Amino acid sequence: MLDVIIALLPTTAAGVWFFGMPAVWTVVVCVSTCLAVEAMCRLAMKREGTIGDFSAVLTGLLLALNLPAGLPLWMAAAGSVFAIAVCKQVFGGLGYNPFTPALSARAFMLISFTGAMTTWSNPAGYESVTGATSVDAVTCATPLAVIKKGDVSQLTSLKSFLLGNIGGCIGETCAVALLIGAAYLIIRRVITWHIPVSFLATMFVFAFFKGGVPPVLHILSGGAILGACFMATDYVTSPITAKGKLVFGVGCGLLTMCIRCGGGSLCVYPDHAGALLSAD
């Protein structure tokens, strides 16, 4: 758990750099609420405390990184309560939960607080997804939202996607930071390459044959890297064997692309697709 927390520090730092204090407060509220709820649940169930295993900290951090900056803090707290109490402790605690608590909580929040969960802030003072600049954080569209509207030409260069100065969730925008964290986990043998590589490779191949949008754009947009490297590799809910991990990763990649391209809206605008790849 501690290794995963360490691996998430680069993308957390990037999120704070780009989104400022709203990102800080979201992380603080999610982590502290998860810790408090974990302690209260264990006490209520008259079971041994589990604060020291860092799993509640990790759940809070992962949830925060999957939320938009500026989300009302009470919503972040509500999602944290749901993650620990409903998605984890009600099943018996760590090792017994059938679903990843942070992801389940995000799904709950997306249904319960749809408007707030789909309102994004552009990083203050940095290039927006459409190439515009801003002095203050403003409401903006994420890269996937821009593509869905059908104008790939409005997207800025791949450099912005790699560095993270685009709209999105706190921890999903900086691909470089996420890949550094993933490399750390693989080197430390906390995770293996099977799920992340098969997940992202499947997305790439699917997008390549579907056409319309550069496959690399699908990899760098949204929460693909965060999901493939830090969520799908969850110890409790992911397969154990290498073959199982490969099958699981392929399934996750296919499901992701079917959701993105099910209606064709993300994959049918080829006119300006090359412009993004040719930009610096």
Side-chain angles (χ1 to χ4, degrees):
M1 296 297 174
L2 186 57
D3 269 328
V4 180
I5 292 171
I6 293 172
L8 286 170
L9 291 181
T11 193
T12 303
V16 171
W17 174 263
F18 288 119
F19 296 105
M21 288 306 297
V24 174
W25 286 117
T26 301
V27 171
V28 169
V29 168
C30 286
V31 172
S32 59
T33 302
C34 284
L35 284 170
V37 174
E38 175 108 339
M40 288 188 289
C41 286
R42 302 303 291 185
L43 184 63
M45 295 188 295
K46 298 181 180 180
R47 296 186 179 181
E48 181 182 359
T50 54
I51 296 299
D53 64 13
F54 291 101
S55 62
V57 176
L58 179 56
T59 295
L61 182 57
L62 277 173
L63 178 58
L65 295 178
N66 276 277
L67 300 179
L71 182 80
L73 296 180
W74 71 267
M75 293 183 184
S80 301
V81 172
F82 186 86
I84 298 297
V86 179
C87 302
K88 182 182 178 185
Q89 293 301 333
V90 75
F91 294 102
L94 182 64
Y96 298 97
N97 50 287
F99 313 108
T100 305
L103 274 180
S104 301
R106 190 185 190 282
F108 159 76
M109 295 177 70
L110 189 59
I111 295 171
S112 303
F113 316 122
T114 306
M117 287 289 290
T118 53
T119 300
W120 313 98
S121 296
N122 192 54
Y126 289 85
E127 188 177 25
S128 73
V129 68
T130 59
T133 57
S134 62
V135 176
D136 300 310
V138 296
T139 301
C140 70
T142 62
L144 289 180
V146 173
I147 300 170
K148 189 173 183 179
K149 291 181 179 179
D151 195 356
V152 180
S153 65
Q154 291 298 308
L155 293 174
T156 186
S157 68
L158 284 179
K159 180 180 178 181
S160 298
F161 288 82
L162 290 170
L163 297 182
N165 52 336
I166 54 176
C169 292
I170 294 170
E172 73 178 18
T173 63
C174 186
V176 171
L178 288 166
L179 293 174
I180 289 173
Y184 172 82
L185 291 181
I186 293 175
I187 292 172
R188 292 280 294 171
R189 297 185 179 180
V190 175
I191 65 172
T192 64
W193 60 268
H194 301 81
I195 291 177
V197 171
S198 59
F199 191 138
L200 298 176
T202 299
M203 290 184 63
F204 187 94
V205 172
F206 191 113
F208 177 81
F209 284 104
K210 180 68 176 179
V213 175
V216 69
L217 179 58
H218 275 289
I219 301 299
L220 298 178
S221 298
I225 298 178
L226 179 62
C229 299
F230 295 96
M231 311 296 276
T233 54
D234 176 65
Y235 316 115
V236 179
T237 58
S238 62
I240 297 174
T241 66
K243 182 183 292 187
K245 291 176 181 178
L246 289 173
V247 172
F248 182 71
V250 170
C252 289
L254 285 174
L255 182 59
T256 299
M257 292 304 295
C258 284
I259 292 172
R260 289 188 179 187
C261 300
S265 57
L266 295 183
C267 299
V268 294
Y269 305 105
D271 294 344
H272 303 286
L276 179 66
L277 294 178
S278 62
D280 60 10

